[in-house]
Coordinates of all heavy atoms in Angstrom, one line a residue:
L1474 N 1.5 -0.3 10.9 CA 1.0 -1.0 9.7 C 0.0 -0.1 8.9 O -0.2 -0.4 7.7 CB 0.4 -2.3 10.1 CG 1.4 -3.3 10.7 CD1 0.6 -4.5 11.2 CD2 2.4 -3.8 9.6
D1475 N -0.7 0.8 9.6 CA -1.7 1.6 8.9 C -1.1 2.4 7.7 O -1.9 2.7 6.8 CB -2.4 2.5 9.8 CG -1.5 3.6 10.4 OD1 -0.6 3.2 11.2 OD2 -1.8 4.8 10.2
V1476 N 0.2 2.7 7.7 CA 0.7 3.6 6.6 C 0.6 2.8 5.3 O 0.5 3.5 4.3 CB 2.1 4.0 6.9 CG1 2.2 4.8 8.2 CG2 3.1 2.9 7.0
F1477 N 0.6 1.5 5.3 CA 0.5 0.8 4.0 C -0.8 1.0 3.4 O -1.0 1.2 2.2 CB 0.8 -0.7 4.2 CG 2.2 -1.0 4.6 CD1 2.6 -1.1 5.9 CD2 3.1 -1.3 3.6 CE1 3.9 -1.4 6.2 CE2 4.5 -1.5 3.9 CZ 4.8 -1.6 5.3
G1478 N -1.9 1.0 4.3 CA -3.2 1.4 3.8 C -3.3 2.8 3.3 O -4.0 3.1 2.3
E1479 N -2.7 3.7 4.0 CA -2.7 5.1 3.6 C -2.1 5.3 2.2 O -2.6 6.0 1.4 CB -2.0 6.0 4.6 CG -2.7 6.1 6.0 CD -4.0 6.8 5.9 OE1 -4.4 7.4 4.8 OE2 -4.7 6.9 6.9
V1480 N -0.9 4.7 2.0 CA -0.2 4.8 0.7 C -1.1 4.2 -0.4 O -1.3 4.8 -1.5 CB 1.1 4.1 0.7 CG1 1.7 4.0 -0.7 CG2 2.1 4.8 1.7
A1481 N -1.7 3.0 -0.2 CA -2.5 2.4 -1.2 C -3.7 3.2 -1.5 O -4.1 3.4 -2.6 CB -2.9 1.0 -0.7
D1482 N -4.3 3.8 -0.4 CA -5.5 4.6 -0.6 C -5.2 5.9 -1.4 O -5.9 6.4 -2.2 CB -6.2 4.9 0.7 CG -7.7 5.2 0.6 OD1 -8.3 4.8 -0.5 OD2 -8.3 5.7 1.5
A1483 N -4.0 6.4 -1.0 CA -3.6 7.7 -1.7 C -3.4 7.4 -3.2 O -3.9 8.2 -4.0 CB -2.3 8.2 -1.1
M1484 N -2.8 6.3 -3.6 CA -2.6 6.0 -5.0 C -4.0 5.8 -5.7 O -4.2 6.2 -6.8 CB -1.7 4.8 -5.1 CG -0.3 5.0 -4.7 SD 0.9 3.7 -5.2 CE 0.4 2.4 -4.1
A1485 N -4.9 5.1 -5.0 CA -6.2 4.8 -5.6 C -7.0 6.1 -5.7 O -7.6 6.3 -6.8 CB -7.0 3.8 -4.7
Q1486 N -7.0 6.9 -4.7 CA -7.8 8.2 -4.7 C -7.2 9.2 -5.7 O -7.9 10.0 -6.3 CB -7.9 8.8 -3.3 CG -8.6 7.9 -2.3 CD -10.1 7.6 -2.7 OE1 -10.7 8.4 -3.4 NE2 -10.6 6.5 -2.2
A1487 N -5.9 9.1 -5.9 CA -5.3 10.0 -6.9 C -5.8 9.7 -8.3 O -6.1 10.6 -9.1 CB -3.7 9.9 -6.8
L1488 N -5.8 8.4 -8.6 CA -6.4 7.9 -9.9 C -7.9 8.3 -10.0 O -8.3 8.9 -11.1 CB -6.3 6.4 -10.0 CG -4.9 5.9 -10.3 CD1 -4.9 4.3 -10.2 CD2 -4.3 6.3 -11.6
K1489 N -8.6 8.1 -9.0 CA -10.0 8.4 -9.0 C -10.3 9.9 -9.1 O -11.2 10.4 -9.7 CB -10.7 7.9 -7.7 CG -12.2 8.0 -7.6 CD -12.6 7.3 -6.3 CE -14.1 7.4 -6.2 NZ -14.6 6.7 -4.9
G1490 N -9.4 10.7 -8.5 CA -9.5 12.1 -8.6 C -9.1 12.8 -9.9 O -9.2 14.0 -10.0
G1491 N -8.4 12.0 -10.7 CA -8.0 12.6 -12.0 C -6.6 12.7 -12.3 O -6.2 13.1 -13.4
L1492 N -5.7 12.4 -11.3 CA -4.3 12.4 -11.6 C -3.9 11.2 -12.5 O -4.5 10.1 -12.4 CB -3.4 12.3 -10.3 CG -3.4 13.5 -9.4 CD1 -2.5 13.2 -8.2 CD2 -3.0 14.7 -10.1
P1493 N -3.0 11.3 -13.4 CA -2.6 10.2 -14.3 C -1.9 9.1 -13.5 O -1.4 9.4 -12.4 CB -1.6 10.8 -15.2 CG -1.1 12.0 -14.5 CD -2.2 12.6 -13.7
P1494 N -2.0 7.9 -13.9 CA -1.3 6.8 -13.2 C 0.1 7.1 -13.0 O 0.8 7.6 -13.9 CB -1.6 5.6 -14.1 CG -2.7 5.9 -15.0 CD -2.7 7.4 -15.2
H1495 N 0.6 6.7 -11.8 CA 2.0 6.9 -11.5 C 2.8 5.7 -12.1 O 2.4 4.6 -11.9 CB 2.3 7.1 -10.0 CG 3.6 7.6 -9.7 ND1 4.8 6.8 -9.7 CD2 4.1 8.9 -9.4 CE1 5.8 7.6 -9.4 NE2 5.4 8.8 -9.2
P1496 N 3.9 6.0 -12.8 CA 4.7 4.8 -13.4 C 5.2 3.8 -12.4 O 5.5 2.7 -12.8 CB 5.8 5.5 -14.1 CG 6.0 6.9 -13.5 CD 4.6 7.3 -13.1
R1497 N 5.3 4.2 -11.1 CA 5.8 3.2 -10.1 C 4.7 2.6 -9.2 O 5.0 1.8 -8.3 CB 6.9 3.9 -9.3 CG 8.1 4.3 -10.0 CD 9.2 4.9 -9.2 NE 9.6 4.0 -8.1 CZ 9.4 4.3 -6.8 NH1 8.9 5.4 -6.4 NH2 9.7 3.4 -5.9
S1498 N 3.5 2.9 -9.4 CA 2.4 2.5 -8.6 C 2.4 0.9 -8.5 O 2.3 0.3 -7.5 CB 1.1 3.0 -9.0 OG 1.0 4.4 -8.8
Q1499 N 2.4 0.3 -9.7 CA 2.3 -1.1 -9.7 C 3.5 -1.8 -9.1 O 3.3 -2.8 -8.4 CB 2.1 -1.6 -11.2 CG 1.9 -3.1 -11.4 CD 0.8 -3.7 -10.6 OE1 -0.3 -3.1 -10.5 NE2 1.0 -4.8 -9.9
A1500 N 4.6 -1.2 -9.4 CA 5.9 -1.8 -8.8 C 5.8 -1.7 -7.2 O 6.2 -2.7 -6.5 CB 7.1 -1.1 -9.3
I1501 N 5.3 -0.6 -6.7 CA 5.2 -0.5 -5.3 C 4.2 -1.5 -4.7 O 4.5 -2.2 -3.7 CB 4.8 0.9 -4.9 CG1 6.0 1.9 -5.1 CG2 4.4 1.1 -3.4 CD1 5.7 3.3 -4.9
R1502 N 3.1 -1.7 -5.4 CA 2.1 -2.7 -4.9 C 2.7 -4.1 -4.9 O 2.4 -4.9 -4.0 CB 0.8 -2.6 -5.7 CG -0.1 -1.4 -5.4 CD -1.5 -1.6 -6.0 NE -1.4 -1.5 -7.4 CZ -1.6 -0.4 -8.1 NH1 -1.7 0.7 -7.5 NH2 -1.5 -0.4 -9.4
S1503 N 3.5 -4.3 -5.9 CA 4.0 -5.7 -6.1 C 5.0 -6.1 -5.0 O 5.2 -7.3 -4.8 CB 4.7 -5.9 -7.5 OG 5.9 -5.1 -7.5
V1504 N 5.6 -5.1 -4.3 CA 6.5 -5.5 -3.2 C 5.9 -5.2 -1.8 O 6.2 -6.0 -0.9 CB 7.8 -4.7 -3.3 CG1 8.6 -5.1 -4.6 CG2 7.6 -3.2 -3.3
T1505 N 5.0 -4.2 -1.7 CA 4.5 -3.9 -0.4 C 3.4 -4.9 0.0 O 3.3 -5.3 1.2 CB 3.9 -2.5 -0.3 OG1 2.9 -2.3 -1.3 CG2 5.0 -1.5 -0.5
L1506 N 2.5 -5.3 -0.9 CA 1.4 -6.2 -0.6 C 1.9 -7.6 -0.1 O 1.3 -8.1 0.9 CB 0.4 -6.3 -1.7 CG -0.3 -5.0 -2.0 CD1 -1.2 -5.1 -3.2 CD2 -1.2 -4.5 -0.8
P1507 N 2.8 -8.2 -0.8 CA 3.3 -9.5 -0.2 C 3.9 -9.4 1.2 O 3.7 -10.3 2.0 CB 4.4 -9.9 -1.2 CG 3.9 -9.3 -2.5 CD 3.4 -8.0 -2.1
F1508 N 4.6 -8.2 1.4 CA 5.1 -8.0 2.8 C 4.0 -7.9 3.8 O 3.9 -8.5 4.8 CB 6.0 -6.8 2.8 CG 6.3 -6.3 4.2 CD1 7.3 -6.9 4.9 CD2 5.7 -5.2 4.7 CE1 7.6 -6.5 6.2 CE2 6.0 -4.8 6.0 CZ 7.0 -5.4 6.7
L1509 N 3.0 -7.0 3.4 CA 1.8 -6.8 4.3 C 1.0 -8.0 4.5 O 0.3 -8.2 5.5 CB 1.0 -5.6 3.8 CG -0.1 -5.1 4.7 CD1 0.5 -4.6 6.0 CD2 -0.9 -4.0 4.0
E1510 N 1.0 -8.9 3.5 CA 0.2 -10.2 3.6 C 0.6 -11.0 4.8 O -0.2 -11.7 5.4 CB 0.4 -11.0 2.3 CG -0.5 -12.2 2.1 CD -0.3 -12.8 0.8 OE1 0.7 -12.6 0.1 OE2 -1.2 -13.7 0.4
Q1511 N 1.9 -10.9 5.1 CA 2.4 -11.6 6.3 C 2.3 -10.7 7.6 O 2.0 -11.1 8.7 CB 3.8 -12.1 6.1 CG 4.0 -12.9 4.9 CD 3.2 -14.2 5.0 OE1 3.1 -14.8 6.0 NE2 2.5 -14.6 3.8
A1512 N 2.7 -9.4 7.4 CA 2.9 -8.5 8.5 C 1.6 -8.1 9.2 O 1.6 -7.6 10.4 CB 3.7 -7.3 8.0
W1513 N 0.5 -8.1 8.5 CA -0.8 -7.5 9.1 C -1.2 -8.3 10.4 O -1.9 -7.7 11.2 CB -1.9 -7.5 8.1 CG -2.6 -8.9 7.8 CD1 -2.3 -9.7 6.8 CD2 -3.7 -9.5 8.6 NE1 -3.1 -10.8 6.9 CE2 -4.0 -10.7 8.0 CE3 -4.4 -9.1 9.7 CZ2 -5.0 -11.5 8.4 CZ3 -5.4 -9.9 10.2 CH2 -5.7 -11.1 9.6
R1514 N -0.7 -9.5 10.6 CA -1.1 -10.2 11.8 C -0.2 -9.8 13.0 O -0.5 -10.3 14.1 CB -0.9 -11.7 11.5 CG -1.9 -12.2 10.4 CD -1.7 -13.7 10.3 NE -2.6 -14.2 9.2 CZ -3.9 -14.5 9.3 NH1 -4.5 -14.4 10.5 NH2 -4.5 -15.0 8.3
Q1515 N 0.8 -9.0 12.8 CA 1.7 -8.6 13.9 C 1.1 -7.4 14.7 O 0.3 -6.6 14.1 CB 3.0 -8.1 13.3 CG 3.8 -9.1 12.5 CD 5.1 -8.6 12.0 OE1 5.6 -7.6 12.5 NE2 5.6 -9.1 10.9
P1516 N 1.4 -7.3 15.9 CA 1.1 -6.1 16.7 C 2.0 -4.9 16.2 O 3.0 -5.2 15.7 CB 1.3 -6.5 18.1 CG 2.4 -7.5 18.1 CD 2.1 -8.3 16.8
D1517 N 1.5 -3.7 16.5 CA 2.4 -2.6 16.1 C 2.1 -1.4 17.1 O 1.4 -1.6 18.1 CB 2.0 -2.1 14.6 CG 0.7 -1.5 14.5 OD1 -0.2 -1.6 15.4 OD2 0.4 -0.8 13.5
E1518 N 2.8 -0.3 16.8 CA 2.6 0.9 17.7 C 1.4 1.7 17.4 O 1.0 2.6 18.2 CB 3.9 1.8 17.7 CG 5.0 1.3 18.6 CD 5.9 0.3 17.9 OE1 5.7 0.1 16.7 OE2 6.9 -0.2 18.6
G1519 N 0.8 1.5 16.2 CA -0.4 2.2 15.8 C -0.4 3.6 15.5 O 0.6 4.3 15.6

């Protein structure tokens, strides 16, 4: 599950670091976050 946080942080830090917004960032958040909203309570391999 940690990879979802890595992807989100990468997108955020890219903006903060000066890269232009990616055209698919919002679309990715709109599908990954609802999934993670349920999945974060599950155990994983880490």
Side-chain angles (χ1 to χ4, degrees):
L1474 295 171
D1475 64 295
V1476 299
F1477 291 93
E1479 293 291 355
V1480 171
D1482 205 16
M1484 291 191 290
Q1486 297 300 333
L1488 287 173
K1489 187 175 176 180
L1492 289 182
H1495 194 281
R1497 294 185 54 243
S1498 294
Q1499 181 56 44
I1501 288 175
R1502 282 194 293 271
S1503 70
V1504 295
T1505 58
L1506 292 175
F1508 169 77
L1509 189 59
E1510 188 176 16
Q1511 304 300 319
W1513 76 266
R1514 298 182 183 278
Q1515 300 177 27
D1517 71 344
E1518 279 89 2

